[in-house]
Each structure stands twice: as structure tokens, then as C-alpha cells.
Amino acid sequence: MLKENLEEEYFFSALTRLSLRDVKEISTPGAAGVYYDSDKRIELLVNSHSVITHELMHFFDFNINNSTDNNIYLCNDKYYSKTAVLELSLKEQQTCHTYSVGNNFIVESGAEVNSNRYSNGAIDAYIDAVEVYNALAYIYGEEFMESVYFSKDGDYQLFKKLTQYITPEEYVKFLDSASVFTNIGAEYDVNNSKVVAETLVTLYERTIGGNWYEDKEFL
């Protein structure tokens, strides 16, 4: 999936600017490392293999291709990715507004899962978000979720897939609730957990069918 999405000239240009540096203080409270795409810089408060591979996966995510933003747009009652919006006429583009903002859930849980898959990084952060990511991978396949993470319009791919089974409004509520699991130091919110669990059950029932409560792997 990495190779399929790779735009070599763009990626290697970004790679020449990539730097890693140890720091004693970090801009995001509670974080062990931070990737800054503006200058392709990784700052490490904890210089461990799992932290380095997680932040490097953010670099891959942002630079494997010339990514557009991951927002979803509503134009004349139809939903579009940014790539598709740019193909519309200027008159059509003027009808567009942002329906859903690119979500941190995929960014962080995908980095953790794929750093483990490709670089043997330990899954030791964003555990709840990773469980949700893995539940979606169980329902729709690991290859699909890899495409969601690495492709230009991944959020839109996930939106199109899930809204075959739930409404766009339910999708946004689900993703917003799942994104809370990536907020470092956020207080546990039973309402977010309830939304996520009920949506996953709904997706399972409408996609796979059968008794989800008898599926031990899904549970």
C-alpha cells in the first residue's frame, strides 16, 4: 500500500529535509514525540524505537504523495473530496462548503498501527483509538484501512464506505467521538464510548450480518 501511493519525486524531496532531534521540552503536553510537517522536523522527548517509528509514520502519511487536505465537502447536495472539488468548475466550487474536517482519529491510530506493521513499533499509545481502527479493519479489511491511511483522500474513502450503512450525520458523530481517544490527557467520556461502540455494532450488523455478540474476535 505504501508503494501504490508513493509519488517518488515528491517524497524524496521531502525526505531530504527530514530531521530528528532530541529535546528536553515539547510543544504538545504529554506527548513523547511530535512531527512538524511545515519543516519536516521530528522532536523526541522520549528517544525510543516505538516513538521514533510512530513519528516517522506521520512523515510517511503526510509526504508519501502530494496530499490534499482530508476534509469532506458538500456541493449542491453532493459530497466530495478536495481532489474531486478541484475538478469542478469555478461556479460549482462556489457552492461548496466544508462538511467534515479531516479527523485526528485516522492520523494517530493509523500511525500507531502501521508503525507496528511496517517497522515493528510497539503499540503503546492511543490504545482505544487503535481498537476502533482494528474493528474497522476487521469489518472492512486491513487493505482498505491502509488505503484510508495512506491515500490522498483517505477520509473521503472511509466516509463513502461507512455512509453505505449509516447516515453522513452518524458518520461525523462517530468520527468525532473516536477522535477524542487521540486527545492526550482527555478525560474518559462514557458518551463518546457509547457512540463508538453502538456505531461499530451497527456497521457489523449491516455489513457482515449475524450475531456480533457471538464473534469473539470482534468483541
Side-chain angles (χ1 to χ4, degrees):
M1 193 58 65
L2 278 167
K3 186 176 180 180
E4 290 175 11
N5 287 279
L6 179 65
E7 293 177 9
E8 291 187 4
E9 184 175 350
Y10 187 87
F11 174 75
F12 287 112
S13 175
L15 186 61
T16 63
R17 299 167 56 198
L18 178 64
S19 66
L20 288 78
R21 53 189 81 167
D22 292 314
V23 297
K24 294 182 178 180
E25 295 182 359
I26 206 158
S27 61
T28 304
V34 177
Y35 169 67
Y36 300 91
D37 192 54
S38 58
D39 58 359
K40 317 302 179 191
R41 167 171 49 99
I42 293 174
E43 290 188 351
L44 300 167
L45 190 62
V46 178
N47 192 335
S48 69
H49 178 71
S50 60
V51 174
I52 292 171
T53 56
H54 178 98
E55 299 308 326
L56 283 172
M57 198 54 62
H58 283 317
F59 171 77
F60 275 106
D61 179 24
F62 282 84
N63 295 285
I64 191 172
N65 50 46
N66 188 7
S67 297
T68 62
D69 68 60
N70 281 320
N71 297 341
I72 296 164
Y73 296 87
L74 185 59
C75 316
N76 285 330
D77 298 323
K78 293 183 179 180
Y79 299 96
Y80 293 86
S81 67
K82 182 61 178 288
T83 301
V85 167
L86 293 176
E87 295 176 354
L88 299 175
S89 69
L90 289 177
K91 184 177 180 180
E92 289 174 309
Q93 289 182 30
Q94 290 173 352
T95 71
C96 300
H97 68 271
T98 303
Y99 180 77
S100 177
V101 176
N103 202 281
N104 209 41
F105 160 65
I106 294 297
V107 171
E108 294 297 349
S109 64
E112 196 73 356
V113 168
N114 287 296
S115 67
N116 173 262
R117 176 174 293 129
Y118 288 107
S119 302
N120 200 30
I123 295 181
D124 56 8
Y126 308 111
I127 302 301
D128 291 335
V130 167
E131 290 292 350
V132 180
Y133 182 105
N134 285 336
L136 290 170
Y138 181 73
I139 297 171
Y140 297 109
E142 289 185 1
E143 185 174 343
F144 171 73
M145 289 304 294
E146 279 194 28
S147 180
V148 167
Y149 183 72
F150 287 115
S151 69
K152 291 183 178 182
D153 299 318
D155 284 60
Y156 181 73
Q157 286 187 32
L158 187 63
F159 173 81
K160 290 296 289 183
K161 176 71 75 174
L162 268 57
T163 53
Q164 295 178 49
Y165 309 100
I166 57 177
T167 67
E169 293 73 23
E170 289 171 328
Y171 169 88
V172 171
K173 189 175 181 180
F174 169 65
L175 265 289
D176 285 347
S177 294
S179 187
V180 173
F181 298 154
T182 67
N183 295 340
I184 298 173
E187 293 185 6
Y188 178 80
D189 187 333
V190 68
N191 291 323
N192 287 316
S193 296
K194 186 172 185 288
V195 167
V196 169
E198 289 181 345
T199 305
L200 288 174
V201 166
T202 297
L203 292 170
Y204 182 101
E205 291 178 334
R206 295 177 181 175
T207 306
I208 297 176
N211 298 325
W212 60 269
Y213 47 84
E214 294 178 353
D215 187 332
K216 294 181 179 179
E217 187 172 351
F218 178 70
L219 286 176

